[in-house]
């Protein structure tokens, strides 16, 4: 990322850059061939164009717009009109302020009622996750890194009172100096501190610790002799850290500081647009300018004759705005940042450039290409085909009503005062004037003769003014949409009306207010897109922030800075209770569909049901609905429900289990039969062996013959094993058991 520089360094760096060298080489080649006749605009010509445009824009602001906006400020404050007479009422009605202060809470609540003010719209399915992260981060930058609520509040008040509000965005890089002192550091710890790469670390002071004690005596491993340990080298150091920070800044700039050409129909198409302000020498030096160059432009305030500036600061005098200051760095110079579409490089096509000027002569001190205009405008009620700074405001709609109401109330109060304190006629020389002028209750008036004092009784005629005041109040309500019924201030305002009439009255009032809110919310789209451009261009490393209660690394360098923005303000007919009731009914229908048709039904998805629950939480006043319900991802697939078998499948399963049981029972019976056969065979053979033993003994005793008994036993056992083998083979072939 290229660091922004100012003054001559910018031109030199651009000319020496690869792009500048390539353009210069191409220009030289074309000039040699005779095909390049256009040349870049020289500094004198550019200075003349800029000075002329700036002078005309300042005249347009100071002479045409600022007096109107200054008058609006006076009416908002309830200042006197200047036609008051001594001895009469000086009451001033505050219709402008009352209407604006009644509208602001509703508009601010509408803007900030949801967790996300606006949302970035993905271009395709692959951009959904990135768009959500962009939305969260830009909302975080506006509301956490900056006082987003305060900036928008000031901007909307400017819009409602003074026709239009303007928010400026820029990337600010600052270097903070922090001095730290450490004591008793060893050499290794000192090296670790010096090697930190998160900030520039320099040692301001370093000296050994005189109070360091020797280490513990330890025996030598070779000789066994106890040797005293050397005194460790400890350091006391003072470290200066230079911490560089860059972040997006937003500001509701004063309208008298905002410059725009008188023929502009919008900010994007303006021939010139800029920001002028009296900037201190310290601020200009911080921007990169040389102190000696800045000091020659120190002058009195360029705004000392601006009616709007002086009206907003009634206690400030022109002497107080002078450049005189005991601190040279606090002296001020006129500094103007301009954005112009101009053909500076001579290629026949105008391009956007940022031009900075100083001093009363508007001397150009910086000239560089620009990619966008960093202003977002918030017109109250713009007129078609006119500049946004000339939009209608609440002041324009209620100015005459404030004057008439003030005049009626003054006359009414004067009539009431005359009826309570009537004028008195006296005969000069016959009355003690001190007694007549005294307002003491029950006081005595000394007269030389009766009838020397006569009061002029004046009846109170203010009753006739009350219907007129109600009539004027109705006119104000129809113009601005702010009625007693819609504000909930007067319980009797719709006492005798039907339910339909009440709903129609409240709905009409809300529609007028919602229209104003929708118009103002267009400025939020511009503001968010400007912030997105700045973070994608200038943030050169990931940043760890807390989004949705999770620490998330944010790296916007790969984001699409041209992604569309959608307003996410809570607009719609009906009050909060009606919307809550409707959302509760929708949630009930969704629950019924999910229960009856399952999570994969074509009517409602779990993600839609989650959105309804989150919206209910937001409508209930909980800004972060994720505390109660998580957002379901778009690619979420609910688990498939277990399918129940059909009756035919159940019957087949039962039959298969029955057959398996019969097979197992038959096998058990066969096994039992085999065991029984083996036991019978063993029993018969044991009986045969016993009988044979008896017979053999009889033969030996009877005939004296010698019989080989072992051979007979072997043959008998061989036959037994043969029978078992046959039974085992038949067990392995159940079908042959009956053979």
């Amino acid at each position: 990322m290229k660091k922004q520089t100012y003054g001559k360094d910018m031109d030199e760096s651009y000319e020496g850059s690869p792009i500048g060298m390539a353009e210069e080489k191409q220009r030289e080649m074309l000039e040699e061939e005779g095909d390049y006749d256009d040349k870049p605009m020289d500094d004198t010509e550019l200075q003349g164009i800029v000075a002329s445009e700036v002078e005309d824009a300042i005249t347009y602001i100071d002479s045409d717009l600022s007096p109107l906006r200054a008058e609006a400020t006076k009416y908002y404050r309830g200042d006197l009109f200047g036609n008051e007479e001594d001895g009469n009422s000086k009451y001033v009605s505050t219709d402008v302020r009352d209407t604006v202060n009644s509208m602001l809470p509703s508009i601010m609540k509408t803007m900030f009622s949801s967790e996300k003010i606006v949302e970035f719209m993905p271009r395709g399915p692959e951009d959904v996750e990135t768009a959500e992260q962009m939305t969260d981060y830009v909302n975080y930058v506006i509301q956490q890194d900056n006082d987003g609520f305060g900036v928008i509040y000031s901007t909307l008040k400017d819009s409602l009172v003074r026709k239009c509000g303007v928010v400026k965005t820029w990337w600010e890089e600052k270097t903070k100096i922090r001095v730290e002192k450490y004591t008793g550091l060893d050499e290794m710890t000192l090296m670790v501190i010096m090697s930190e790469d998160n900030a520039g670390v320099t040692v301001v002071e370093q000296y050994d610790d005189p109070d360091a004690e020797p280490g513990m005596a330890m025996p030598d491993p070779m000789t066994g002799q106890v040797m005293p340990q050397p005194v460790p080298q400890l350091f006391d150091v003072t470290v200066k850290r230079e911490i560089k920070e860059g972040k997006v800044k937003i500001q509701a700039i004063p309208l008298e500081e905002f410059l725009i050409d008188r023929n502009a129909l919008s900010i994007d198409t303006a021939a010139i647009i800029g920001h002028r302000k009296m900037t201190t020498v310290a601020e200009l030096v911080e921007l990169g300018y040389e102190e000696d160059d800045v000091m020659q432009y120190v002058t009195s305030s360029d705004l000392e004759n601006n009616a709007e500036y002086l009206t907003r600061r009634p206690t400030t005098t022109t002497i107080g705005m002078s450049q005189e200051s005991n601190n040279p760095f606090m002296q001020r110079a006129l500094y103007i940042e301009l954005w112009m579409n101009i053909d500076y490089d001579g290629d026949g096509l105008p391009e956007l450039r940022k031009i900075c000027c100083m001093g009363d002569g508007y001397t150009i001190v910086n000239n560089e290409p620009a990619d966008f205009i960093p202003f977002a405008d918030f017109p109250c009620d713009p007129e078609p085909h006119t500049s946004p700074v000339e939009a209608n405001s609440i002041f324009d709609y209620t100015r005459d009503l404030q004057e008439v109401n003030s005049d009626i109330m003054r006359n009414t109060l004067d009539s009431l005062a005359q009826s309570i304190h009537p004028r008195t006629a006296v005969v000069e020389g016959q009355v003690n004037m001190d007694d007549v002028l005294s307002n003491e209750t029950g006081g005595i008036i000394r007269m030389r003769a009766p009838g020397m004092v006569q009061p002029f009784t004046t009846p109170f005629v203010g009753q006739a003014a009350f219907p007129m005041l109600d009539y004027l109040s109705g006119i104000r309500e129809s113009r601005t949409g702010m009625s007693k019924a819609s504000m909930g201030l007067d319980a009797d305002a719709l006492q005798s009306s039907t339910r339909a009439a009440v709903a129609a009255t409240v709905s009409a009032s809300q529609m007028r207010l919602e229209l104003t809110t929708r118009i103002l919310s267009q400025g939020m789209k511009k503001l968010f897109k400007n912030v997105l451009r700045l973070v994608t261009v200038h943030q050169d490393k990931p940043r760890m922030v807390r989004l949705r209660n999770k620490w998330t690394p944010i790296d916007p360098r790969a984001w699409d800075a041209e992604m569309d923005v959608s307003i996410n303000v809570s607009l719609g007919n009906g009050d909060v209770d009606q919307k809550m009731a409707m959302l509760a009914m929708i949630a009930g229908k969704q629950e019924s569909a999910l229960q009856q048709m399952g999570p994969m039904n074509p009517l409602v998805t779990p993600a839609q049901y989650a959105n309804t629950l989150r919206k209910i939480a937001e409508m209930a006043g909980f800004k972060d609905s994720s505390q109660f319900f998580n957002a379901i991802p778009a690619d979420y697939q609910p688990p498939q429900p277990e399918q129940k078998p059909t009756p035919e499948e159940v019957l087949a399963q039962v039959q298969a289990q029955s057959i398996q049981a019969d097979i197992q029972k038959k096998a058990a019976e066969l096994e039992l039969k085999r065991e029984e056969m083996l036991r019978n065979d063993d029993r018969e053979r044991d009986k045969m062996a016993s009988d044979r033993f008896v017979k053999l003994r009889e033969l030996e005793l009877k005939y004296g013959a010698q019989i080989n008994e072992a051979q007979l036993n072997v043959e008998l056992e061989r036959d037994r094993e043969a029978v078992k083998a046959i039974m085992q083979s038949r067990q392995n072939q159940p079908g042959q058991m009956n053979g």
Side-chain angles (χ1 to χ4, degrees):
M1 184 188 68
K2 183 177 180 181
K3 182 179 179 181
Q4 185 177 4
T5 57
Y6 295 86
K8 297 180 180 179
D9 294 339
M10 170 54 69
D11 295 335
E12 294 173 356
S13 63
Y14 178 75
E15 291 176 359
S17 65
I19 298 177
M21 295 174 64
E23 291 181 355
E24 184 65 25
K25 185 177 181 180
Q26 183 181 11
R27 184 179 296 109
E28 292 176 356
M29 293 176 60
L30 293 175
E31 288 178 352
E32 292 177 359
E33 297 174 359
D35 296 334
Y36 191 90
D37 298 330
D38 297 332
K39 296 182 179 180
M41 184 181 299
D42 58 49
D43 295 340
T44 304
E45 182 181 1
L46 179 62
Q47 180 67 62
I49 294 175
V50 169
S52 176
E53 293 287 348
V54 171
E55 188 68 33
D56 183 69
I58 290 178
T59 302
Y60 173 57
I61 297 298
D62 290 350
S63 301
D64 299 341
L65 294 181
S66 287
L68 297 177
R69 296 194 293 232
E71 192 172 7
T73 301
K74 293 179 181 179
Y75 274 67
Y76 177 80
R77 287 203 307 245
D79 293 350
L80 299 177
F81 299 128
N83 58 353
E84 291 76 15
E85 298 179 359
D86 293 337
N88 293 338
S89 174
K90 298 180 181 180
Y91 174 84
V92 177
S93 178
T94 56
D95 294 77
V96 175
R97 182 172 62 198
D98 295 342
T99 306
V100 170
N101 290 347
S102 299
M103 296 177 67
L104 269 177
S106 299
I107 297 177
M108 291 297 294
K109 181 180 179 181
T110 303
M111 291 282 192
F112 290 89
S113 60
S114 59
E115 181 182 355
K116 304 169 185 176
I117 303 174
V118 299
E119 292 182 346
F120 290 98
M121 305 303 295
R123 298 181 183 271
E126 67 280 0
D127 298 329
V128 173
E129 184 176 354
T130 302
E132 291 180 353
Q133 191 177 74
M134 292 165 61
T135 300
D136 293 338
Y137 185 58
V138 175
N139 277 275
Y140 179 90
V141 169
I142 290 179
Q143 300 195 63
Q144 302 298 327
D145 289 348
N146 296 271
D147 182 15
F149 184 89
V151 171
I152 299 303
Y153 177 81
S154 300
T155 304
L156 295 183
K157 179 173 284 189
D158 277 341
S159 178
L160 296 177
V161 179
R162 306 171 189 91
K163 300 179 178 294
C164 181
V166 179
V167 178
K168 180 184 178 183
T169 57
W170 72 97
W171 181 266
E172 182 180 72
E173 288 188 354
K174 285 190 174 182
T175 301
K176 295 183 178 180
I177 305 299
R178 189 173 64 190
V179 178
E180 300 174 351
K181 293 184 178 180
Y182 298 94
T183 59
L185 298 181
D186 56 23
E187 187 175 359
M188 183 64 67
T189 305
L190 180 61
M191 292 178 60
V192 171
I193 294 177
M194 293 296 298
S195 63
E196 292 181 359
D197 56 357
N198 62 336
V201 179
T202 58
V203 176
V204 180
E205 297 178 357
Q206 175 179 340
Y207 49 89
D208 296 341
D209 188 356
D211 298 329
E213 299 179 356
M216 182 181 297
M218 299 292 293
D220 186 276
M222 301 296 296
T223 63
Q225 183 179 1
V226 178
M227 301 294 294
Q229 295 296 313
V231 178
Q233 189 176 9
L234 302 179
F235 304 95
D236 294 346
V237 296
T238 300
V239 176
K240 182 176 70 173
R241 299 179 182 270
E242 295 183 1
I243 303 175
K244 296 182 179 180
E245 294 182 350
K247 62 175 57 177
V248 175
K249 300 292 290 183
I250 63 175
Q251 176 190 7
I253 64 175
L255 297 179
E256 70 271 9
E257 296 182 358
F258 180 67
L259 300 180
I260 188 171
D261 73 284
R262 63 178 69 248
N263 298 318
L265 300 181
S266 68
I267 286 182
D268 297 330
T269 60
I272 181 175
I273 190 169
H275 181 203
R276 63 165 173 171
K277 58 180 178 178
M278 297 302 298
T279 310
T280 64
V281 174
E283 292 173 342
L284 293 174
V285 170
E286 187 176 359
L287 289 177
Y289 296 106
E290 296 295 334
E291 180 183 355
D292 295 337
D293 296 338
V294 174
M295 292 301 296
Q296 61 180 326
Y297 299 110
V298 171
T299 181
S300 60
S301 176
D302 186 64
L303 303 172
E304 61 184 6
N305 296 322
N306 184 277
E308 185 178 2
Y309 181 85
L310 297 176
T311 301
R312 193 169 58 250
R313 299 170 174 84
T315 60
T316 303
T317 63
T318 56
I319 298 178
M321 294 184 294
S322 177
Q323 83 281 8
E324 298 297 333
S325 175
N326 294 328
N327 186 353
F329 275 88
M330 291 297 103
Q331 295 181 3
R332 298 179 180 272
L334 176 63
Y335 183 65
I336 304 178
E337 294 177 322
L338 300 173
W339 282 261
M340 296 181 60
N341 285 290
I342 189 171
D343 182 18
Y344 178 74
D345 54 8
D347 60 355
L349 297 175
E351 63 273 357
L352 183 65
R353 301 191 69 84
K354 179 183 178 182
I355 301 173
C356 300
C357 307
M358 282 190 194
D360 296 335
Y362 316 123
T363 304
I364 297 177
V365 294
N366 181 40
N367 177 18
E368 62 184 12
D371 55 349
F372 77 104
I373 299 174
F375 297 101
D377 57 323
F378 292 73
C380 178
D381 186 9
E383 284 290 330
H385 320 300
T386 60
S387 175
V389 295
E390 296 182 8
N392 294 319
S393 64
I394 300 303
F395 162 72
D396 298 321
Y397 296 147
T398 57
R399 171 183 179 177
D400 57 339
L401 299 178
Q402 181 162 326
E403 294 174 353
V404 175
N405 281 330
S406 298
D407 190 50
I408 293 175
M409 285 300 299
R410 287 180 180 182
N411 294 331
T412 301
L413 293 175
D414 287 341
S415 176
L416 179 61
Q418 290 177 7
S419 65
I420 297 176
H421 304 286
R423 300 183 66 182
T424 304
V426 298
V427 177
E428 189 175 358
Q430 300 296 317
V431 180
N432 188 307
M433 295 303 298
D434 292 337
D435 294 344
V436 176
L437 296 176
S438 175
N439 292 325
E440 180 183 357
T441 303
I444 299 175
I445 299 178
R446 290 168 288 183
M447 298 182 293
R448 299 183 185 276
M452 296 297 102
V453 177
Q454 296 180 1
F456 287 163
T457 303
T458 303
F460 175 65
V461 295
Q463 296 88 343
F466 296 151
M468 179 57 67
L469 292 175
D470 292 338
Y471 172 74
L472 294 174
S473 178
I475 294 178
R476 186 185 69 177
E477 293 173 1
S478 64
R479 290 182 182 179
T480 62
M482 295 308 297
S483 63
K484 295 178 180 179
S486 63
M487 293 185 295
L489 300 178
D490 189 358
D492 298 329
L494 301 173
Q495 181 177 3
S496 302
S497 302
T498 62
R499 180 180 180 86
V502 171
T505 302
V506 175
S507 178
S509 174
Q510 288 178 341
M511 285 190 293
R512 181 67 183 87
L513 185 60
E514 288 174 3
L515 176 60
T516 302
T517 306
R518 283 189 180 275
I519 295 173
L520 293 172
S521 62
Q522 297 300 316
M524 299 295 291
K525 295 176 62 175
K526 300 178 183 179
L527 173 60
F528 271 67
K529 295 201 73 170
N530 290 345
V531 173
L532 177 62
R533 286 176 181 269
L534 290 173
V535 296
T536 53
V537 172
H538 293 281
Q539 184 172 326
D540 55 357
K541 59 183 179 180
R543 178 187 178 191
M544 188 69 68
V545 296
R546 186 177 180 86
L547 301 176
R548 300 185 182 183
N549 296 325
K550 294 182 180 178
W551 288 101
T552 307
I554 302 298
D555 189 358
R557 288 175 289 184
W559 288 354
D560 181 10
E562 301 297 330
M563 188 168 289
D564 296 332
V565 180
S566 173
I567 305 173
N568 190 27
V569 294
S570 303
L571 298 177
N573 295 330
D575 57 11
V576 176
D577 294 337
Q578 293 175 347
K579 294 178 182 179
M580 289 283 288
M582 183 61 65
L583 286 173
M585 184 190 70
I586 294 174
K589 296 294 184 182
Q590 291 175 332
E591 292 173 357
S592 178
L594 291 172
Q595 291 175 357
Q596 296 180 7
M597 304 172 64
M600 298 299 293
N601 68 86
L603 180 60
V604 60
T605 63
Q608 292 174 323
Y609 179 60
N611 292 337
T612 303
L613 297 179
R614 289 167 62 89
K615 183 60 67 176
I616 291 176
E618 292 176 1
M619 292 294 297
F622 298 98
K623 191 173 182 180
D624 186 8
S625 58
S626 61
Q627 297 178 355
F628 308 98
F629 308 102
N630 292 325
I632 298 180
D635 56 350
Y636 170 75
Q637 294 292 337
Q640 297 292 337
E642 184 179 357
Q643 296 182 353
K644 296 182 179 181
T646 61
E648 293 78 6
E649 293 175 345
V650 173
L651 179 60
Q653 186 177 5
V654 171
Q655 290 177 350
Q657 292 176 353
S658 178
I659 293 173
Q660 184 69 22
D662 292 341
I663 293 175
Q664 293 177 354
K665 181 179 179 181
K666 190 69 174 178
E669 291 176 354
L670 292 176
E671 178 66 20
L672 182 62
K673 185 175 181 181
R674 186 184 73 84
E675 293 292 337
E676 185 177 359
M677 293 175 62
L678 289 175
R679 286 195 296 270
N680 292 336
D681 181 74
D682 290 341
R683 186 170 57 254
E684 291 296 330
R685 291 184 183 278
D686 292 340
K687 183 178 179 181
M688 291 173 58
S690 177
D691 293 342
R692 185 176 63 243
F693 178 78
V694 173
K695 290 181 179 181
L696 287 175
R697 291 290 181 239
E698 290 179 353
L699 290 174
E700 289 178 354
L701 294 174
K702 184 176 181 179
Y703 299 104
Q706 186 68 27
I707 300 174
N708 191 350
E709 183 178 358
Q711 182 67 27
L712 293 177
N713 290 335
V714 170
E715 294 179 356
L716 183 62
E717 290 297 327
R718 183 172 62 246
D719 294 340
R720 187 193 303 269
E721 294 298 328
V723 172
K724 289 184 178 181
I726 293 173
M727 295 300 296
Q728 184 68 29
S729 63
R730 290 188 175 184
Q731 181 184 10
N732 296 333
Q733 300 178 357
Q736 300 178 3
M737 289 297 296
N738 295 328

